[in-house]
Amino acid sequence: MQLTETVKLYPNKYQTELIKATMSEYISTVNKLVFDAANGRTITKMTTADVKADLPSALCNQCIRDAKSIIRKYNKALRNSNTQVILPVLKKMCCYINNQNFRISDDCIGFPIIINGKSKRISVKTKMSERQKSIFSSSKLGTMRIVVKGHDLVAQIVYDAKEDAASSNNNVMGVDLGIKCPAVSYCPDGSIKF
């Protein structure tokens, strides 16, 4: 099972400008790829060399994956709908970085960003609880998503959590959350139990 932990980032002013520029470039690149794919250009065999964006190659690759996912959902909606389907456009600033391209140390998260036309890794300060540090050090990490919440930059990091094993006492209870009345059982003597 995959869960997400949110970590607040504390970048300096220069890092904030770099991250926000990267996030807006990321969104515009995904939207451009989606628009091109909707207008007949194939993106199935596209590589980072085909994408003209001011992003590190790891983020360009993630843009291609995101665009493919959006186009897949759009084409499925077109096939299943008789009405006109609007092409999705991403508006909220965000940036996805896969688990091979970010590192978590004690109080920092490092990830690639374009600085003066070259891909460089920056290290942004964070405040993590001891629980979060133990989760990140002992779990397999997934994708990190950087978003703006209010006026703060936060990193949402996916990790694999072990599911608890089911007990083996053969007692099973099901709960239907979709019903509008409480569960009622009828007894052989004609009484009703709630």
Side-chain angles (χ1 to χ4, degrees):
M1 150 173 76
Q2 290 189 326
L3 298 175
T4 304
E5 276 294 321
T6 301
V7 177
K8 187 174 176 184
L9 300 176
Y10 295 94
N12 61 32
K13 191 174 181 182
Y14 179 63
Q15 289 175 333
T16 303
E17 291 173 8
L18 288 173
I19 293 169
K20 287 188 176 181
T22 300
M23 289 169 34
S24 60
E25 181 73 16
Y26 184 92
I27 293 299
S28 65
T29 303
V30 172
N31 286 335
K32 184 181 176 304
L33 290 172
V34 168
F35 182 75
D36 289 349
N39 289 327
R41 183 177 177 207
T42 181
I43 62 170
T44 54
K45 295 188 179 189
M46 189 173 275
T47 64
T48 56
D50 303 323
V51 178
K52 302 292 183 244
D54 198 18
L55 293 170
S57 61
L59 296 181
C60 283
N61 200 15
Q62 194 66 40
C63 286
I64 295 168
R65 284 191 208 133
D66 289 349
K68 285 179 184 178
S69 174
I70 291 169
I71 284 297
R72 213 175 302 121
K73 290 176 187 174
Y74 174 71
N75 289 337
K76 185 177 179 181
L78 280 177
R79 284 192 302 268
N80 296 336
S81 177
N82 295 333
T83 61
Q84 185 179 4
V85 178
I86 298 171
L87 184 67
V89 177
L90 301 179
K91 294 177 184 170
K92 187 175 180 183
M93 285 191 7
C94 71
C95 180
Y96 289 88
I97 302 169
N98 67 22
N99 61 350
Q100 297 172 344
N101 295 303
F102 71 89
R103 300 282 175 263
I104 298 175
S105 62
D106 289 336
D107 291 326
C108 294
I109 296 179
F111 52 90
I113 247 174
I114 292 289
I115 300 174
N116 297 330
K118 293 187 178 183
S119 177
K120 294 187 179 176
R121 187 174 290 272
I122 64 169
S123 189
V124 179
K125 290 190 183 286
T126 64
K127 285 189 181 173
M128 289 184 267
S129 66
E130 291 302 319
R131 182 183 143 280
Q132 287 175 327
K133 288 179 184 178
S134 69
I135 287 172
F136 295 147
S137 65
S138 64
S139 301
K140 183 177 185 272
L141 300 178
T143 305
M144 177 175 72
R145 178 179 179 222
I146 299 175
V147 295
V148 178
K149 291 250 179 174
H151 298 291
D152 300 324
L153 286 169
V154 297
Q156 298 169 335
I157 302 168
V158 176
Y159 65 95
D160 287 336
K162 294 181 179 134
E163 294 185 43
D164 295 335
S167 62
S168 60
N169 59 4
N170 295 333
N171 292 337
V172 178
M173 181 175 96
V175 177
D176 187 353
L177 298 176
I179 60 172
K180 293 188 175 30
C181 61
V184 177
S185 65
Y186 296 94
C187 299
D189 63 352
S191 63
I192 299 174
K193 292 186 179 177
F194 290 96

